[in-house]
Amino acid sequence: MNNNLPFADLHVHSYYSDGTYSPSDILSLAEEKGIGVLAIADHDVLDGSSELVGLSENSAVKCIPAVEITCDDFGRQIHVLAYHPDFTDECFRSFVSDGRRKLDGMSVSLIEKMKVAGYPVSVDDFERFTCKLGSGGWKALHYFKNIGITKELKDGFSLYSEFGCGYETAGFPSVCDAVSKIHSVGGIAIIAHPGVSVKTSLGDKFVSELEKLIGYGADGIECFYSEHSPDVTELCERFCDEHGLLKTCGSDFHGTFLTRQLGFPCKKTEELRLDGII
């Protein structure tokens, strides 16, 4: 790899999902930070990654086609990162688009329930409402703030659980189905940030959950993640070493919408296991 760009960040979000930066902005920032392997993995949408790969043709940064797929594991939200899936495959594109419709549909369901509860909202008003590309977050958060229901964008998050419109009710695909779909189009499937998704104490219970998730056929784990504690990172890395799994690194950067920083955690490509990804 390029010695001047030794680092990797394989989990970044652009303004095509809920980030604030364009693919061009992300690529420029990656070059500044010495990131030589980069992936935009937007939530259930391919546009940002496709644009980045096109832009990188004249860059020293190697940009990996990727997408983050929202999944359900018996009522628990799990994200699966897909690397190098065939973006031209119509069946896969439809699978990803369906996930995005379900993600956006959570907001429509929420607004319907809020209207019944007496809030000054309506689906028609919401559908007419627009917010500037690159504003961060998603449309419903801006809608609630714009009409005065919330003061800050992030305040809108709590409304989804309050009205029973969380990820567990949206009908997302299972982890097994997502992994199978990724593999069917030549992609590599990685379990994203298990230290965030798996709500259990460290130790045997956590390892059992990793075994369950990998048992669905995933190729590896995002061991190095911006919000993983050192203990979680060590456990995930050891698990991957013992089972011969891929080990990836991701910041989950969303631009100015969240405080995560591109390129953190700071890991050199050679410290990871990225067979087939690069």
Side-chain angles (χ1 to χ4, degrees):
M1 299 307 297
N2 190 328
N3 291 331
N4 295 320
L5 300 168
F7 304 108
D9 191 339
L10 292 167
H11 187 170
V12 178
H13 294 282
S14 77
Y15 61 20
Y16 284 103
S17 60
D18 54 350
T20 61
Y21 281 29
S22 70
S24 178
D25 293 334
I26 291 168
L27 180 59
S28 295
L29 186 58
E31 292 170 341
E32 292 174 13
K33 289 181 170 287
I35 297 169
V37 181
L38 176 68
I40 286 179
D42 281 326
H43 294 287
D44 306 290
V45 64
L46 306 176
D47 303 66
S49 183
S50 296
E51 186 172 315
L52 178 71
V53 171
L55 289 168
S56 67
E57 291 179 357
N58 297 317
S59 171
V61 179
K62 183 176 181 62
C63 294
I64 310 299
V67 62
E68 185 171 22
I69 297 174
T70 307
C71 301
D72 174 74
D73 184 49
F74 300 98
R76 172 178 61 177
Q77 179 194 174
I78 298 290
H79 286 157
V80 177
L81 294 159
Y83 297 107
H84 288 295
D86 182 359
F87 278 14
T88 67
D89 185 276
E90 287 302 323
C91 185
F92 183 72
R93 292 179 66 86
S94 178
F95 175 75
V96 173
S97 295
D98 185 58
R100 187 69 206 188
R101 281 192 295 272
K102 289 172 179 174
L103 190 64
D104 294 336
M106 289 168 54
S107 297
V108 173
S109 296
L110 171 59
I111 289 166
E112 289 173 341
K113 290 187 176 183
M114 290 175 67
K115 182 174 178 61
V116 172
Y119 281 82
V121 298
S122 78
V123 173
D124 287 342
D125 287 345
F126 172 62
E127 290 180 345
R128 284 192 293 266
F129 175 77
T130 59
C131 55
K132 184 180 178 182
L133 187 66
S135 300
W138 54 86
K139 181 178 173 179
L141 300 180
H142 290 275
Y143 174 65
F144 297 140
K145 183 174 183 291
N146 184 69
I147 62 178
I149 290 176
T150 58
K151 291 184 178 180
E152 303 295 337
L153 284 184
K154 296 173 187 177
D155 296 340
F157 287 137
S158 62
L159 293 170
Y160 290 85
S161 56
E162 180 182 342
F163 284 88
C165 295
Y167 289 89
E168 68 279 0
T169 65
F172 290 109
S174 69
V175 176
C176 185
D177 286 347
V179 170
S180 177
K181 185 66 70 174
I182 293 165
H183 286 164
S184 74
V185 292
I188 293 171
I190 301 293
I191 301 298
H193 45 60
V196 174
S197 302
V198 176
K199 308 296 185 183
T200 187
S201 58
L202 292 181
D204 291 344
K205 288 184 177 179
F206 189 82
V207 171
S208 294
E209 290 296 331
L210 292 182
E211 290 174 341
K212 176 185 176 183
L213 293 172
I214 290 299
Y216 293 133
D219 303 294
I221 295 172
E222 187 177 42
C223 297
F224 305 97
Y225 178 71
S226 53
E227 295 182 10
H228 276 180
S229 69
D231 288 343
V232 168
T233 300
E234 181 182 0
L235 195 157
C236 289
E237 189 173 15
R238 184 168 66 248
F239 182 87
C240 287
D241 288 341
E242 291 173 353
H243 293 80
L245 301 168
L246 300 185
K247 299 186 293 187
T248 69
C249 175
S251 64
D252 208 354
F253 176 68
H254 284 67
T256 58
F257 177 57
L258 298 174
T259 59
R260 301 168 189 148
Q261 298 300 306
L262 189 73
F264 179 83
C266 189
K267 301 298 293 183
K268 292 185 176 180
T269 304
E270 63 195 34
E271 299 177 89
L272 308 172
R273 186 176 295 125
L274 303 176
D275 302 338
I277 296 179
I278 60 171

